[in-house]
Amino acid sequence: CSTDDDFVGYDVHCGIAQMNNLLYARNYEQPRPFREHNMHHKFAYFIENHYVYAVLTGFEDNNATTVRYYTALLQMVISQNIQSRNANLNCQEQDQFYTKLLKDAFATVEEQFRHKYSEKLSEKTVLDIELNGTKAEHYPIFNERIKELACELSPGLSAVVVLIHDGRIYVANIGDTRAILCKKVLGESGQDYVRTVQLSTTHDLDN
């Protein structure tokens, strides 16, 4: 937990700082661009004593309009849940509420995302079942269609949301988009420096 005093007031800060998305080699050589900047969308706002920040990143064939739609959907779901909350929750109940709020918000976006590709996913599943145990090269048309569907189903989203309320920070993320807290600290020399704390955990197939 942290207090709101650790954060510059909402009316004077830039909301969220988005670093250039770069991919570094294992030997830390010169980084190269990883994703197009127009695939990133973010929001930062204040509602009923809540600070809400988020970044969504699309990859593969997702276009900027699609990512913008899911960003707006995520913001709407979070806002609606905040406005419908019970203001008399104790600390434990509050933690449970915001944990569920963020999970539900991600689940809603995922449901809409799956719905968009449901027909193609069903078609690929049927073809995979029909070809199960057979050599794909014996069915070149089916095999080619499966490859096309796999490509069309490759788009995805990564996202991170930070919600601050009543002196507590709640963080949720999916994929490799990260939340990093930058805090000004007074050093022993009397000079200020910035301490960074990663708030999120990279989400991948292992977790």
Side-chain angles (χ1 to χ4, degrees):
C1 295
S2 177
T3 66
D4 288 345
D5 292 336
D6 292 334
F7 297 84
V8 181
Y10 179 80
D11 59 335
V12 296
H13 69 51
C14 62
I16 44 182
Q18 181 177 307
M19 299 298 292
N20 290 335
N21 206 333
L22 300 173
L23 181 64
Y24 288 83
R26 291 185 179 275
N27 58 1
Y28 302 101
E29 293 178 349
Q30 182 68 25
R32 59 184 175 84
F34 182 35
R35 293 174 182 152
E36 296 295 333
H37 292 293
N38 64 357
M39 302 299 281
H40 303 280
H41 286 277
K42 60 186 178 181
F43 59 78
Y45 64 100
F46 182 78
I47 178 173
E48 296 189 8
N49 202 31
H50 294 72
Y51 297 87
V52 186
Y53 310 90
V55 174
L56 279 78
T57 301
F59 55 88
E60 298 297 343
D61 291 332
N62 264 326
N63 57 44
T65 302
T66 301
V67 179
R68 197 179 305 117
Y69 165 76
Y70 290 117
T71 304
L73 176 62
L74 184 65
Q75 182 175 350
M76 180 188 70
V77 173
I78 292 174
S79 298
Q80 289 177 343
N81 279 278
I82 288 175
Q83 291 171 330
S84 64
R85 80 192 190 287
N86 181 351
N88 298 317
L89 299 176
N90 61 39
C91 188
Q92 183 177 2
E93 292 172 336
Q94 180 173 289
D95 287 347
Q96 293 173 347
F97 171 79
Y98 289 111
T99 299
K100 185 176 185 301
L101 181 156
L102 293 173
K103 286 183 177 179
D104 289 349
F106 275 175
T108 300
V109 173
E110 182 179 12
E111 181 182 0
Q112 291 295 315
F113 192 85
R114 287 180 178 274
H115 178 72
K116 177 180 178 180
Y117 296 100
S118 58
E119 292 185 4
K120 293 179 180 179
L121 184 60
S122 298
E123 181 184 354
K124 183 177 183 302
T125 301
V126 170
L127 290 174
D128 285 336
I129 294 173
E130 290 181 353
L131 291 179
N132 185 31
T134 64
K135 293 185 177 180
E137 57 267 23
H138 293 168
Y139 300 89
I141 296 178
F142 281 3
N143 188 42
E144 188 63 30
R145 180 55 182 161
I146 288 176
K147 290 180 179 179
E148 291 176 359
L149 289 169
C151 182
E152 293 172 3
L153 291 168
S154 62
L157 289 168
S158 66
V160 62
V161 178
V162 177
L163 189 154
I164 306 170
H165 175 66
D166 197 21
R168 293 178 179 268
I169 303 175
Y170 303 90
V171 179
N173 72 288
I174 185 167
D176 59 0
T177 303
R178 298 184 293 173
I180 298 176
L181 172 65
C182 298
K183 182 177 180 180
K184 184 184 291 187
V185 178
L186 181 63
E188 295 180 358
S189 63
Q191 293 185 334
D192 292 336
Y193 69 96
V194 176
R195 175 187 296 172
T196 60
V197 180
Q198 182 164 317
L199 303 179
S200 56
T201 301
T202 300
H203 175 236
D204 53 31
L205 295 178
D206 294 329
N207 60 3

